Amino acid sequence: MEVRLLLLEKPLPLYLFGTAVALGVLVSLGLLLLQKNRPFTRRDTLLETLCFLPVMLLGARACYYLVRLSLWMETGEYGFFFRFQNGGFMIHGALLAAPLAALLFARATGKPAMAALDDLAPSFALVFAAAYLGEHLIGQGRSMLEVPAGLRFPPLSAYSAELDDWLYSVALWECLFCLALYPPVRWIRFRQQGDRTLLFYLALCGGLIFFSDVENDAALSWGFVRSPQVFSVCMLILLFVWRAARAHHFCTRLFLQGTAVLLLTALLVMVEFLLDRVQAYALLWYGVMIGAIVLIACLTWRAGHETSQL
Amino acid sequence: MKDSSGWGIEMVKDRVLMMLVAAMLLFLCLFLSAPQMVAFAEAIYEPLPAGGTAPYPPNPAGYSEDMLSYTDPSITVTSRTERAFDTDILIIDVKIQDPTQLRTKLAGDYGLKATQTVARMCKSANAVMGFNGDWFDMYRDGVVLRNGKAYRSSSINSNRDILFIDTAGDFHLLVSPTRASYNALKEQYEAMHVFNFGPALIVDGEPMSNFPHHACGIDVKRGRLAFAQIETLHYCIIAAEDSSQYSGDDDAGLTIPEFVEYLHSLGNLQQAYNLDGGNTVYVDIGGSRASSRYSKNTRMISDIIYFATLVPNEEGESK
């Protein structure tokens, strides 16, 4: 017997990517509801989902749409934004939209926005992991860099039947990275409100700088500039500014930390230039890049803590 | 507070919230596809976007078993091999529906001297078939204009003829070009691709002679590749076997005058332009090497010319 949903002539498409995201949301929602000692009730949790999910989804869509604005202008595909089934999301848009969703939630419930962000930070990790897994399963999110024969094994790389070649499975790396972020973000005890969210944002933005370098998604590039990396670096600087803004008094140490962050950002740009423009593929440079990212994250983390103690 | 059915208002609120969350999850499943998974799927048989990679890969079922021909509703590629001047010559006939199907791809960002194999560029460009371009990065002068975008036009080298392809896909050959003749052509036609290697071999159906000194070795027997136009949206690629060092055939290869003589003998070429000086000849059809099949030479070059399909097949919405 053939069952036709809503009496439709054709079966509805079930998108693997969307289903993966939905499952991620469902699992994280379940874990939140099972979690003890939360400052939110079950209704608050449902409201959180209703506030954060659409706002972050729209943010991710808007970010992707804006990055590729020149293409829509060229092709006249202005309505692309509304065709969700055509795909196109940028995680940075979701990260930027999350504080807006928190404000919306705070307005609706009267609960502190930062507490909601802290509450949901581990869930973000799970949902993003699910999204990246969905992207990987449908054969997207792969690097076009040539994979040496010795590195042709999963999860490092995956065979693409379409290209008849092995490609780095960057989306799967990102999925595993997000999954690895879940335990520390979920279980570490933080002293200050906002620290949980900060740790998640710092780790994810830092990781995305590296992953974007390997993935090198031409669709998200402005010429030779990779927009995911630009967004990630800007977000790291924004986080530093946000933490520094907590300081009631300007101090020399804060100034030095800010200078160091900017210098490290310049170093990142230089390394990226070496890797991309000069094509100096060397582990040393990737090491320098990761080192610079970790240092920026540490300086941002410490800036907040030290200034808050003043 | 509870109503007569035992449902409290608070419980109803919770149920409504849960239903809203469930509806949102259903929306994700039904409407959220992967990034770019089906972008432009509705643009069936519409012209392709001018720049970037061709959006639709060829349909694998469209290739013949010997991988020397391809057919789908928007493009037909047929091949045959002839022998002349003791050399195997591959002749590929290509008919397309829309000029945007004739495309080019650079190995990397312009100015980086990036190089890549023709096969790899064809794969990443979703090419039905492709072949070596003019390797513009070998020279500092000359015009480079691809997919409507001008990269270099500061200097014109009069020793290297220009192939100018307009937005209708028609060829215009400039022999011993000057700044004035190039500008005049640009004013008359909108440029889509401009190549700067040459020499021009057949212009308006007439064979050329008296070639200037050229890096392609005018009087040396070498592998050759000509890109020719038969009529609007109907093209021909003629690839002569590689030179002896690769094919093992001591007499393989054509001089430019021999190549011109052969091309003219085909009888239907209106414009023909040389694109190789020897060892760069590479024609890829569906990921399989069609030219110089016995050659192990897979030189990495800076650009390819390729043809793409307008038809989105089932896997055709990636990239």
Side-chain angles (χ1 to χ4, degrees):
Chain A
M1 187 178 71
E2 187 180 356
V3 179
R4 286 181 182 160
L5 187 60
L6 302 175
L7 300 175
L8 293 172
E9 286 297 321
K10 293 179 181 175
L12 280 171
L14 194 68
Y15 290 108
L16 186 56
F17 179 74
T19 307
V21 176
L23 284 174
V25 173
L26 206 60
V27 169
S28 54
L29 188 59
L31 289 173
L32 272 178
L33 291 172
L34 290 174
Q35 194 176 320
K36 291 173 183 172
N37 303 322
R38 283 178 67 227
F40 299 107
T41 62
R42 188 173 74 167
R43 184 176 303 165
D44 290 336
T45 308
L46 293 172
L47 276 170
E48 274 181 336
T49 309
L50 288 173
C51 287
F52 278 81
L53 189 55
V55 172
M56 290 177 75
L57 194 65
L58 287 173
R61 183 68 168 171
C63 194
Y64 180 88
Y65 188 79
L66 289 174
V67 165
R68 303 203 70 187
L69 193 58
S70 62
L71 177 65
W72 319 132
M73 292 172 75
E74 192 180 313
T75 58
E77 289 273 346
Y78 294 106
F80 181 87
F81 182 89
F82 303 101
R83 290 196 288 275
F84 284 81
Q85 74 278 12
N86 284 6
F89 302 92
M90 258 187 94
I91 194 169
H92 301 82
L95 291 173
L96 285 167
L100 296 178
L103 291 175
L104 186 69
F105 171 75
R107 195 177 173 84
T109 61
K111 303 276 173 67
M114 188 50 74
L117 278 171
D118 277 348
D119 184 48
L120 288 180
S123 302
F124 292 165
L126 281 185
V127 176
F128 290 156
Y132 281 127
L133 183 64
E135 192 181 357
H136 171 74
L137 289 176
I138 51 113
Q140 299 276 316
R142 295 184 180 177
S143 166
M144 293 304 286
L145 294 178
E146 192 167 349
V147 183
L151 300 179
R152 292 180 176 179
F153 56 87
L156 198 60
S157 56
Y159 178 75
S160 163
E162 186 187 359
L163 292 175
D164 186 26
D165 211 346
W166 282 79
L167 306 171
Y168 288 113
S169 40
V170 183
L172 188 58
W173 303 358
E174 289 168 318
C175 165
L176 296 173
F177 182 73
C178 285
L179 282 178
L181 283 182
Y182 182 81
V185 174
R186 165 71 181 81
W187 281 295
I188 288 179
R189 291 179 182 276
F190 296 93
R191 281 184 300 173
Q192 288 187 57
Q193 199 171 66
D195 278 0
R196 197 178 299 280
T197 306
L198 181 69
L199 175 69
F200 174 71
Y201 269 61
L202 285 177
L204 188 61
C205 289
L208 287 173
I209 293 174
F210 171 73
F211 294 130
S212 302
D213 177 272
V214 183
E215 185 172 8
N216 193 10
D217 187 347
L220 294 177
S221 295
W222 295 315
F224 67 87
V225 179
R226 296 169 193 182
S227 59
Q229 289 184 316
V230 174
F231 275 101
S232 297
V233 169
C234 288
M235 286 185 71
L236 286 178
I237 292 174
L238 264 177
L239 288 170
F240 181 85
V241 170
W242 171 61
R243 295 295 271 190
R246 288 186 169 189
H248 300 294
H249 306 286
F250 180 81
C251 65
T252 310
R253 176 173 287 184
L254 191 60
F255 174 77
L256 289 175
Q257 284 172 334
T259 309
V261 166
L262 290 178
L263 285 174
L264 285 166
T265 304
L267 177 67
L268 267 182
V269 173
M270 193 193 79
V271 171
E272 183 55 43
F273 181 86
L274 279 170
L275 288 167
D276 187 57
R277 305 290 285 181
V278 188
Q279 297 183 352
Y281 297 115
L283 283 177
L284 171 70
W285 292 114
Y286 281 115
V288 172
M289 172 186 270
I290 292 168
I293 293 167
V294 170
L295 273 175
I296 291 175
C298 289
L299 282 167
T300 305
W301 181 262
R302 288 181 62 82
H305 279 261
E306 286 170 12
T307 51
S308 63
Q309 288 164 8
L310 289 173
Chain B
M1 187 191 300
K2 288 186 178 180
D3 61 15
S4 55
S5 65
W7 277 44
I9 291 174
E10 298 303 314
M11 192 180 286
V12 171
K13 282 183 181 174
D14 279 356
R15 292 279 190 276
V16 170
L17 286 176
M18 285 172 73
M19 281 163 65
L20 283 172
V21 169
M24 202 169 284
L25 296 181
L26 189 64
F27 168 84
L28 293 180
C29 295
L30 296 180
F31 293 100
L32 211 64
S33 179
Q36 296 172 273
M37 189 57 181
V38 288
F40 301 113
E42 68 277 23
I44 298 170
Y45 302 108
E46 288 293 313
L48 303 176
T53 296
Y56 312 122
N59 183 352
Y63 287 103
S64 61
E65 279 187 15
D66 60 3
M67 294 304 283
L68 286 173
S69 63
Y70 175 88
T71 307
D72 77 19
S74 70
I75 180 170
T76 305
V77 178
T78 54
S79 307
R80 69 180 192 276
T81 302
E82 293 186 355
R83 190 159 176 87
F85 298 101
D86 294 324
T87 302
D88 287 336
I89 301 174
L90 178 70
I91 301 144
I92 302 159
D93 188 279
V94 181
K95 287 181 185 173
I96 54 176
Q97 278 193 353
D98 189 273
T100 58
Q101 291 176 267
L102 167 53
R103 308 172 75 82
T104 54
K105 179 178 173 63
L106 310 188
D109 291 335
Y110 177 78
L112 295 179
K113 289 193 177 291
T115 56
Q116 188 55 270
T117 61
V118 172
R120 185 121 189 176
M121 281 191 273
C122 283
K123 264 185 191 176
S124 61
N126 286 331
V128 168
M129 67 86 57
F131 50 98
N132 55 278
D134 66 357
W135 203 342
F136 59 86
D137 257 349
M138 286 284 283
Y139 303 93
R140 288 186 176 181
D141 57 6
V143 181
V144 180
L145 190 150
R146 301 296 152 84
N147 299 318
K149 185 175 180 181
Y151 294 98
R152 184 172 72 197
S153 59
S154 55
S155 58
I156 305 279
N157 187 332
S158 61
N159 279 331
R160 287 191 282 126
D161 302 341
I162 283 178
L163 167 60
F164 182 108
I165 303 177
D166 64 24
T167 47
D170 287 328
F171 285 17
H172 307 274
L173 290 166
L174 279 178
V175 179
S176 301
T178 61
R179 169 63 61 190
S181 62
Y182 177 68
N183 285 346
L185 194 61
K186 259 180 65 177
E187 281 179 19
Q188 202 175 348
Y189 302 99
E190 191 179 345
M192 183 52 76
H193 310 285
V194 177
F195 301 95
N196 213 170
F197 189 80
L201 305 171
I202 291 181
V203 179
D204 297 330
E206 295 301 320
M208 298 299 291
S209 57
N210 299 324
F211 302 100
H213 173 73
H214 197 283
C216 73
I218 299 294
D219 294 316
V220 184
K221 279 183 175 291
R222 285 183 176 172
R224 305 283 176 187
L225 186 139
F227 187 25
Q229 182 177 23
I230 296 170
E231 58 187 355
T232 297
L233 304 184
H234 187 180
Y235 307 92
C236 191
I237 296 98
I238 304 97
E241 181 60 271
D242 245 346
S243 55
S244 57
Q245 67 185 91
Y246 296 109
S247 67
D249 185 343
D250 290 343
D251 296 323
L254 275 72
T255 64
I256 287 290
E258 286 171 345
F259 199 34
V260 171
E261 185 184 331
Y262 175 75
L263 295 178
H264 191 238
S265 73
L266 294 175
N268 59 350
L269 306 183
Q270 289 306 301
Q271 320 285 348
Y273 185 77
N274 182 53
L275 276 172
D276 186 32
N279 302 327
T280 310
V281 174
Y282 196 110
V283 179
D284 178 288
I285 302 180
S288 170
R289 185 171 191 167
S291 66
S292 310
R293 288 192 161 189
Y294 304 110
S295 168
K296 291 178 181 174
N297 177 31
T298 50
R299 179 179 268 178
M300 294 170 82
I301 58 173
S302 59
D303 62 321
I304 58 164
I305 301 169
Y306 70 98
F307 291 94
T309 179
L310 293 179
V311 183
N313 62 57
E314 284 181 2
E315 305 111 39
E317 296 89 2
S318 63
K319 302 275 177 262

